Amino acid sequence: MLGEVLCDLQQPTLMSQIIDHGLAKGDLSYVVGHALLMLMFAVMGLVFGGTCGALGSYASLKMGEQLRQHMLNIALLSRDPAGLAPATLITRITNDVTQMQNLVMLLTRGMVRSPMLLLGGVVMSVLVCPDLAPILFVIMPILVIFLLVIIIRSVPLYTKMQRSVDSVNRTMRENLQGIKTIKSYVLENRQQRQFDVENTGLKATSQRAAMATVTLSPVIQLMLNLGVVAALGYGGQLAISQTISDGQIIAFVNYMIQITTAMIQTVNIVTSFSRAITSSARVQAVLAEEPPAETTLTTQVPINSQIEFDHVTFGYEASKPILSNINLTVPTGQWLGIIGATGSGKSSLINLLTRSFDQYTGQIRLGGVDIREMSLTDVHERISVALQDSILFSGTVQGNLSYGKPTATQAEIEAAATVADAASFINDLPDQYQAVVEQRGKNFSGGQRQRLNLARAITPDHDVLVLDDATSAVDQETNAHIKQRLQQTRADKTTLIISQRVTNVMDCQQIIVVTDGRISAQGTHQELIQRSNFYRDLVKTQLGGDQLANE
């Protein structure tokens, strides 16, 4: 970079020498010699500039690649319940990283080259023609002050603009994910109006941010053009009086042009810097959430699959606990049913058991070992979870079913599909287990997605299986078949079932009723009918009064 700048700074001086010593004296050999010297410096500048550009581009692309990978890794490993929302994470991993890439590209070339060319141009113009130097000393302070004012104005506006991008992304994401609901309620116009509000807000904010910097380049161009005019006018008078030579005027004007170029490049850097400084702060907010490196704090191995919750309290905010003083023991091989009203904290129990969140008080033990002293890999090699939200990934049916166990054999996959009552419709597909799964499994019905999701959890055949409303979208007959097969294949393995259906939990050896984050009742189906009003009402509503009479 330094070599490129030095080569560029030689050109006006050589041109001045050609005019004053070559053309003025009619010395053709002097002109040709210095012209060849100018060509040599031009070629050297091209080589230096091309090398710097290539290295800057590589550094920018490599930084973007590694930063995106690192940020996604942080997002996937985060155990903070109050972490950043997906919409803003997407913007930060894409748009904000791109802004930082652009800045790195400019920094590795322009941020060094432009100030050096600017400083070098000022120094050389003073050395070549000291009589015209006062023109620069008037113009440069005005431009520097103007630059600082623009930077102070633009940074807050670009911060606001990035927040508007988040809002647009969030609205777009909600509309696309809820497109069926929107169509079913004929709310297309309403959602379009909502998006127009966010989109118009982004446009307005972007315009204000752009207007804050749009005057930079024209003002710099105007001031330096006025400087060139002043140099030619004042320099012409000095040349007539033979105080300076024509070559000095030409050299000074060329250095003014170089200074103009350097200032305009600096403007572009300032504009990118204004956006990138906001983006860097937002990226830093993601990096600040980086979880501590996983370390195995204990060499103990769970001796069985018994689960214990010992005085566990959890909440996104300390003052608003979702679970309060949970004490629960699930012996190895027992089937536990978990039932309760919506929002009572049932799924939070599973989130803590699978270490989705680690911010709780008390202890959760698996086989006698505190799960926070086990690595995430060890925990998930013992616990499989099938959630109500049946997310499938783009690929094939087999690829999705082997997600929890990449080494699963075809026989293991087919056996799991049979238990989940998915084998029948999989075998009806043209490519069967190699059939394509589109994004989020949208080419399957809700019930089919749930059965594939359940089969995926069954395939690894882990010690503990958790079903969190995993069959809520399937019909009663299919649900009964799945339950029967699970009872046959996991009769002696720990299984936790969260469900709103009494029929799914009534055969469990132990059932707990969760109310407002606490275990309000515990026992078998028959015992809870006697002990829990909530459970008794649920049985009466779903199974009828005859069931209560029989009990």
Side-chain angles (χ1 to χ4, degrees):
M1 221 169 299
L2 178 60
E4 181 188 7
V5 172
L6 291 176
C7 289
D8 289 343
L9 291 174
Q10 298 305 312
Q11 303 291 0
T13 299
L14 292 173
M15 187 182 300
S16 171
Q17 293 173 351
I18 288 175
I19 293 172
D20 290 340
H21 303 292
L23 296 179
K25 297 178 181 179
D27 189 345
L28 182 60
S29 61
Y30 188 92
V31 172
V32 172
H34 277 65
L36 290 174
L37 196 58
M38 289 179 68
L39 177 62
M40 181 190 73
F41 279 119
V43 172
M44 289 173 61
L46 176 65
V47 173
F48 290 140
T51 303
C52 289
L55 292 175
S57 178
Y58 175 79
S60 172
L61 293 173
K62 191 67 176 177
M63 183 214 71
E65 175 196 20
Q66 293 184 345
L67 195 55
R68 279 189 289 267
Q69 287 178 343
H70 192 57
M71 290 173 70
L72 180 61
N73 186 54
I74 290 172
L76 293 175
L77 294 179
S78 176
R79 293 295 185 267
D80 184 0
L84 295 169
T88 188
L89 277 172
I90 292 171
T91 304
R92 295 176 194 225
I93 293 176
T94 54
N95 182 274
D96 288 332
V97 171
T98 299
Q99 295 301 330
M100 292 184 66
Q101 279 186 278
N102 293 338
L103 181 63
V104 168
M105 183 64 186
L106 287 170
L107 286 176
T108 52
R109 179 169 168 79
M111 193 58 134
V112 177
R113 183 182 184 278
S114 297
M116 288 175 63
L117 187 61
L118 177 63
L119 180 61
V122 172
V123 171
M124 291 300 295
S125 62
V126 172
L127 293 176
V128 169
C129 190
D131 295 309
L132 297 179
I135 296 173
L136 283 178
F137 298 148
V138 173
I139 292 175
M140 295 306 296
I142 296 174
L143 291 178
V144 170
I145 293 172
F146 186 68
L147 268 173
L148 292 175
V149 171
I150 293 298
I151 291 174
I152 293 171
R153 286 183 55 198
S154 63
V155 169
L157 290 172
Y158 279 113
T159 301
K160 187 176 180 180
M161 188 185 78
Q162 292 301 104
R163 290 174 184 162
S164 296
V165 171
D166 276 351
S167 297
V168 169
N169 282 346
R170 182 177 61 252
T171 304
M172 178 75 76
R173 185 169 176 265
E174 288 175 351
N175 285 341
L176 293 177
Q177 288 185 342
I179 192 166
K180 290 184 179 179
T181 303
I182 292 169
K183 289 181 176 179
S184 66
Y185 285 94
V186 197
L187 293 175
E188 291 90 343
N189 292 335
R190 173 184 168 184
Q191 296 304 115
Q192 184 63 54
R193 287 194 299 270
Q194 180 186 358
F195 180 76
D196 286 345
V197 170
E198 299 289 351
N199 200 27
T200 302
L202 173 60
K203 183 188 74 171
T205 305
S206 300
Q207 284 178 336
R208 288 196 296 272
M211 290 302 296
T213 56
V214 74
T215 56
L216 263 176
S217 185
V219 169
I220 290 173
Q221 194 76 46
L222 173 65
M223 293 297 293
L224 292 174
N225 282 340
L226 290 176
V228 170
V229 171
L232 290 174
Y234 180 55
Q237 294 179 0
L238 294 177
I240 292 173
S241 63
Q242 296 186 344
T243 304
I244 61 175
S245 66
D246 294 343
Q248 286 178 294
I249 297 175
I250 297 299
F252 187 86
V253 169
N254 275 275
Y255 282 122
M256 288 284 288
I257 293 172
Q258 286 187 342
I259 292 170
T260 303
T261 302
M263 289 291 286
I264 290 174
Q265 289 175 347
T266 303
V267 168
N268 294 331
I269 293 171
V270 168
T271 303
S272 296
F273 182 77
S274 298
R275 298 190 66 177
I277 195 171
T278 299
S279 296
S280 65
R282 289 158 53 84
V283 168
Q284 183 59 38
V286 179
L287 299 179
E289 291 192 352
E290 183 167 10
E294 269 287 308
T295 55
T296 303
L297 302 180
T298 179
T299 58
Q300 297 182 65
V301 177
I303 57 176
N304 50 41
S305 58
Q306 177 169 296
I307 298 169
E308 298 170 89
F309 284 76
D310 185 3
H311 295 90
V312 173
T313 297
F314 165 75
Y316 298 120
E317 299 177 22
S319 59
K320 298 178 181 178
I322 295 173
L323 297 173
S324 300
N325 198 32
I326 299 296
N327 290 284
L328 174 68
T329 299
V330 185
T332 300
Q334 186 181 81
W335 278 47
L336 172 71
I338 304 174
I339 202 163
T342 301
S344 59
K346 304 184 300 297
S347 295
S348 296
L349 287 169
I350 306 309
N351 288 334
L352 299 186
L353 178 62
T354 56
R355 287 195 62 192
S356 294
F357 306 132
D358 283 341
Q359 293 79 13
Y360 60 87
T361 60
Q363 275 193 337
I364 301 175
R365 293 185 289 272
L366 177 61
V369 180
D370 190 331
I371 61 170
R372 284 185 292 195
E373 294 184 358
M374 298 170 60
S375 69
L376 289 172
T377 301
D378 287 341
V379 171
H380 290 284
E381 282 181 351
R382 289 171 170 79
I383 302 174
S384 287
V385 182
L387 302 173
Q388 180 181 11
D389 189 10
S390 309
I391 299 297
L392 299 179
F393 299 94
S394 302
T396 63
V397 170
Q398 181 167 342
N400 272 273
L401 298 192
S402 62
Y403 197 75
K405 186 181 180 182
T407 59
T409 64
Q410 186 66 28
E412 289 174 326
I413 292 172
E414 291 180 6
T418 300
V419 172
D421 203 42
S424 55
F425 73 80
I426 293 175
N427 290 327
D428 289 338
L429 299 173
D431 296 320
Q432 297 185 348
Y433 288 87
Q434 296 305 316
V436 173
V437 177
E438 297 180 9
Q439 186 181 24
R440 297 178 65 89
K442 65 181 181 181
N443 54 328
F444 293 94
S445 69
Q448 288 174 333
R449 286 197 299 271
Q450 278 205 333
R451 282 181 277 172
L452 289 172
N453 179 45
L454 178 57
R456 178 171 59 195
I458 294 171
T459 298
D461 195 26
H462 287 158
D463 296 337
V464 179
L465 175 65
V466 178
L467 308 180
D468 188 354
D469 264 337
T471 58
S472 59
V474 304
D475 59 83
Q476 291 286 2
E477 182 179 355
T478 302
N479 185 65
H481 292 161
I482 294 172
K483 178 183 174 183
Q484 182 181 12
R485 294 191 184 104
L486 280 171
Q487 288 173 336
Q488 292 171 353
T489 56
R490 295 191 60 84
D492 57 348
K493 292 188 176 181
T494 307
T495 305
L496 280 62
I497 301 176
I498 298 175
S499 180
Q500 297 294 340
R501 293 176 177 174
V502 173
T503 53
N504 283 347
V505 301
M506 60 187 297
D507 293 330
C508 293
Q509 291 111 318
Q510 182 180 193
I511 304 170
I512 61 171
V513 178
V514 181
T515 305
D516 296 330
R518 297 178 181 273
I519 298 176
S520 59
Q522 185 173 353
T524 63
H525 171 68
Q526 291 80 9
E527 290 170 344
L528 287 179
I529 288 176
Q530 304 300 322
R531 298 176 185 172
S532 171
N533 292 332
F534 174 84
Y535 191 81
R536 184 165 54 251
D537 291 342
L538 206 59
V539 171
K540 184 177 180 179
T541 301
Q542 294 184 12
L543 304 181
D546 293 341
Q547 175 69 23
L548 291 177
N550 293 334
E551 297 298 334

